[in-house]
Amino acid sequence: MSKRLFSGIQPSGGIHIGNYLGAIRNWVELIPQFECIYCIVDYHAITVPYEPAEMQGRILEAAAVNIACGIDPERCTLFVQSHVPEHTELAWILNTVTPIGELFRMTQFKDKSAQFEGSVNAGLLNYPVLMAADILLYKGEVVPVGEDQVQHLELSREITRRFNARFGELFPEPQPRLTAAARVMGLDDPTKKMSKSVGNTIGLLEDPQSIWEKVRTAVTDPARVRRSDPGEPTKCNVFSLHGYFSPPADIERVAAGCRGATIGCIECKKLMYGHMMAVLNPIRERAQALLAQPERVWDTLRRGAHHCRTIARATMGEVRRAMGL
Ligand code: AQP
């Protein structure tokens, strides 16, 4: 039997090319190798300010986009976290073996606390405990992570060791599967990670004209003020996007053209945009077709949750017995 793999994505806003290049594209590739469980983690998404009336739509959209990207529900499991209440039950239990100092040390907690100053809640602090529960509930052995999630997974491993030492070897220690994943930066400010909650995204469902506006005005190598100035492609965010979307011959041509000032930024952007839209157009069209039949998407998610609940209930039975509950 293949190992079980778990990963999640927050319905905290429109899914964007950072999520696609950094996570979803890789998830699709892992489906043949593992028993994959992919989760739309709505309990995580409520740890920052959000609009309740929008949540169902965001969940549905996240599901449709994931399926459109190739997360085939016939070959893996896709479900919504809050449809399986055992996630929060196990999270509570794991809180009791989690050192609070570790939670305060988490970089994401520090970043988000600064970003949402004035509305920092205990859920934001305990976010990594819920993440550990997500994985352990299914005895997940493999967790694909980008570099931004490595620290959280380390804590999940620590929580697993502490639980096992105290109550018996119930859980395998989840192993990170580090992807040479992209870290996609914002087009308006290449020092900031592209992020749903920052709003500096290129959405997978976004209208092509609106995407072009963002690409057209994207910040490039600041040394290139005039068309005749030579540039350094490794300092240009648009060139990074070429790296994700364009064929090798065009990447080489753009690099040489930028260094030799034989190609202008707009020409370079148009070329990248063309290659990017060749990837995004079919995804958007598939997602829109799915969103036209929302009941079918909800059905898929219900089937996923049904499968997961069976596993989750069995795990919780073992946990309660081990803990004398
Ligand atoms: N800019 C990015 N570049 C590469 N990978 C990224 N991911 C997110 N942004 C980038 C990867 O997407 C997966 C799912 O992310 P998430 O929804 O769990 O939350 P996140 O990492 O916090 O993503 P966002 O868009 O930045 O959401 P908010 O603003 O709500 O926090 C993860 O594997 C992540 O690495």
Side-chain angles (χ1 to χ4, degrees), residues 74-278:
E74 302 303 323
R75 295 161 63 230
C76 64
T77 302
L78 179 67
F79 79 109
V80 180
Q81 190 180 30
S82 66
H83 293 183
V84 182
E86 284 81 1
H87 283 256
T88 41
E89 186 183 0
L90 185 57
W92 177 255
I93 285 171
L94 297 180
N95 270 318
T96 66
V97 294
T98 305
I100 195 163
E102 296 284 329
L103 295 175
F104 280 109
R105 281 211 348 245
M106 293 293 116
T107 309
Q108 183 173 299
F109 174 69
K110 290 182 196 162
D111 290 349
K112 293 249 153 128
S113 303
Q115 191 182 345
F116 297 104
E117 205 185 352
S119 52
V120 179
N121 57 72
L124 193 61
L125 180 68
N126 291 341
Y127 185 110
V129 185
L130 181 57
M131 177 170 155
D134 296 338
I135 302 162
L136 298 193
L137 200 50
Y138 304 101
K139 300 191 177 175
E141 290 182 80
V142 182
V143 183
V145 281
E147 63 175 293
D148 57 337
Q149 288 296 323
V150 169
Q151 197 185 31
H152 282 171
L153 191 67
E154 263 316 308
L155 184 54
S156 292
R157 286 157 59 79
E158 170 73 20
I159 292 171
T160 308
R161 287 193 290 271
R162 284 176 179 250
F163 183 95
N164 286 347
R166 175 82 177 83
F167 300 110
E169 290 289 320
L170 213 64
F171 297 115
E173 225 176 276
Q175 304 297 325
R177 186 170 165 118
L178 259 172
T179 44
R183 185 169 169 80
V184 182
M185 310 309 279
L187 273 82
D188 54 344
D189 179 356
T191 63
K192 290 211 174 79
K193 187 187 99 152
M194 187 176 284
S195 209
K196 298 183 215 90
S197 56
V198 175
N200 58 351
T201 60
I202 290 186
L204 294 190
L205 292 185
E206 198 168 330
D207 161 62
Q209 195 50 42
S210 147
I211 296 181
W212 167 244
E213 245 345 273
K214 290 179 187 174
V215 173
R216 189 183 67 80
T217 54
V219 172
T220 55
D221 176 6
R224 234 186 147 187
V225 181
R226 286 177 302 267
R227 168 76 170 74
S228 53
D229 294 335
E232 178 43 52
T234 54
K235 290 186 184 154
C236 175
N237 197 20
V238 175
F239 185 71
S240 320
L241 293 177
H242 269 293
Y244 306 136
F245 291 109
S246 304
D250 279 352
I251 297 174
E252 272 175 42
R253 186 159 69 85
V254 165
C258 178
R259 289 196 178 102
T262 55
I263 183 171
C265 287
I266 280 290
E267 198 184 332
C268 165
K269 285 172 173 179
K270 276 187 184 153
L271 190 63
M272 193 289 294
Y273 174 77
H275 290 308
M276 181 167 72
M277 293 318 290

Side-chain angles (χ1 to χ4, degrees), residues 273-291:
Y273 174 77
H275 290 308
M276 181 167 72
M277 293 318 290
V279 174
L280 301 195
N281 283 335
I283 293 177
R284 189 186 63 254
E285 283 159 15
R286 279 196 295 273
Q288 281 167 345
L290 288 160
L291 288 168

